[in-house]
Amino acid sequence: MPIFDSTSYAFSAYAAPVFVTALLMLAFGLRVMVRRWSRVSAAFFGITATVAFWLLAFTAMYSTREESIALFWAHVAYLAVPFIAPAVYQFTVEILRINALRRLETWQGWLLGGFFAVIGVKTQLLITNVQHYAWGFYPRYGLAMSVPFLAFFFGYLIAAVIELWR
């Protein structure tokens, strides 16, 4: 599987905005963290870094010509995707300065994110295959693991909103 062989990829007008967005998010997160380091800026960088990693993997997936390579990049994206919601939650509790009160929930989110990352990268339970569309390949998800993953992911995003609402 020639993952890093340039002949396996082609320019995609659909992948270009995803790539630019990933770079801008990463640059923005780095700028905020370097300009004024704090727990809040580090948590913000956590969000931008996980999202940028996901978008960079999807850029490669959209740009490849081969299904097997697209499937590889779909799995690579799940090194980051499960950590997006815990990163948002951590940022929320940091800006609200309730991180000491929500330490267990925060750690639980990161551990569950790690669990789903292993499932997403190492097995076919979350990502079963990829399907080709006009914009490129896109992952197809298995129902058995997608439901728990989505419950976890959106549960942590909703928890962040609830913390802000309180």
Side-chain angles (χ1 to χ4, degrees):
M1 185 164 44
I3 294 164
F4 298 110
D5 181 5
S6 63
T7 61
S8 299
Y9 300 90
F11 173 78
S12 168
Y14 299 105
V18 178
F19 179 71
V20 170
T21 302
L23 292 181
L24 289 173
M25 287 194 73
L26 193 57
F28 182 54
L30 276 170
R31 172 112 168 107
V32 167
M33 191 171 66
V34 168
R35 189 167 186 194
R36 177 180 248 168
W37 194 94
S38 68
R39 291 177 60 100
V40 174
S41 65
F44 181 73
F45 176 72
I47 296 171
T48 62
T50 54
V51 171
F53 190 94
W54 159 54
L55 292 176
L56 289 171
F58 268 48
T59 297
M61 183 178 62
Y62 294 156
S63 301
T64 188
R65 301 172 188 205
E66 298 181 33
E67 185 175 339
S68 61
I69 295 173
L71 185 60
F72 168 81
W73 287 112
H75 285 287
V76 166
Y78 275 76
L79 287 170
V81 170
F83 297 109
I84 294 170
V88 169
Y89 185 79
Q90 176 147 13
F91 176 69
T92 302
V93 299
E94 292 293 344
I95 63 170
L96 295 174
R97 296 192 167 127
I98 58 170
N99 52 324
L101 298 172
R102 299 293 188 265
R103 186 162 297 156
L104 177 63
E105 293 86 350
T106 303
W107 278 104
Q108 183 180 26
W110 289 107
L111 290 172
L112 284 168
F115 168 76
F116 283 111
V118 169
I119 296 295
V121 172
K122 293 287 191 180
T123 74
Q124 300 289 320
L125 294 172
L126 190 56
I127 302 167
T128 57
N129 62 343
V130 290
Q131 184 171 344
H132 192 265
Y133 294 95
W135 65 84
F137 288 98
Y138 197 80
R140 298 290 303 225
Y141 298 94
L143 185 62
M145 195 50 71
S146 292
V147 172
F149 173 72
L150 291 173
F152 152 74
F153 192 87
F154 288 108
Y156 264 86
L157 293 179
I158 290 167
V161 171
I162 290 170
E163 295 288 4
L164 290 166
W165 184 56
R166 281 195 219 165

